[in-house]
């Protein structure tokens, strides 16, 4: 069910209805965590990690983590060369007035 939810989040209607979105990549997830985004799930494939800081980021996020085999991870990834990290997070609900 979690994989199906992740795949459905590629559709804007699903993102709007659930208030969730998908984040892929170490840099993007790190910036989201630093920005206060609340993560619900993290999907990882250690075989695809590019560096050594991924495990620290996963611990910092503190969301439910699922380990996937490379073939499945590459199937759900939208990148040409995935780096082994995808997450589901809550959208930030900001209005124009919140920015002033």
């Amino acid at each position: 069910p979690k994989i199906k939810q992740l795949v459905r989040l590629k559709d804007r209607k699903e993102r709007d209805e659930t208030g969730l979105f998908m984040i892929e990549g170490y840099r993007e997830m790190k910036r989201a965590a630093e920005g206060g985004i609340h993560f619900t799930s993290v999907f990882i494939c250690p075989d695809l990690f590019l560096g050594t800081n991924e495990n620290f980021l996963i611990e910092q996020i503190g969301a439910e983590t699922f380990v996937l085999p490379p073939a499945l991870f590459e199937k759900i990834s939208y990148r040409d060369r995935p780096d082994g990290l995808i997450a589901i997070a809550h959208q930030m609900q900001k209005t124009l007035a919140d920015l002033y």
Side-chain angles (χ1 to χ4, degrees):
K2 290 286 186 179
I3 299 293
K4 289 181 180 180
Q5 178 189 28
L6 180 66
V7 172
R8 284 193 310 264
L9 288 174
K10 291 181 179 181
D11 180 37
R12 181 178 180 141
K13 182 180 177 187
E14 182 72 17
R15 292 190 305 269
D16 289 345
E17 288 176 359
T18 62
L20 300 171
F21 72 108
M22 182 172 76
I23 304 172
E24 182 171 1
Y26 176 82
R27 184 178 359 155
E28 292 79 2
M29 288 174 57
K30 184 173 183 337
R31 288 180 179 164
E34 290 170 351
I37 295 291
H38 178 262
F39 293 82
T40 63
S41 308
V42 177
F43 301 85
I44 66 170
C45 180
D47 294 345
L48 299 175
F49 287 174
L50 300 176
T52 58
N53 297 326
E54 287 86 353
N55 289 323
F56 178 75
L57 177 62
I58 294 164
E59 289 176 25
Q60 180 185 4
I61 289 171
E64 186 176 19
T65 303
F66 301 92
V67 179
L68 305 178
L72 178 57
F73 194 92
E74 289 172 358
K75 186 175 180 179
I76 63 174
S77 172
Y78 56 83
R79 291 183 168 189
D80 292 333
R81 290 185 281 150
D83 65 1
L85 293 167
I86 296 178
I88 297 175
H90 289 280
Q91 296 177 14
M92 293 183 83
Q93 302 296 326
K94 299 276 184 187
T95 65
L96 189 57
D98 295 332
L99 302 176
Y100 288 105

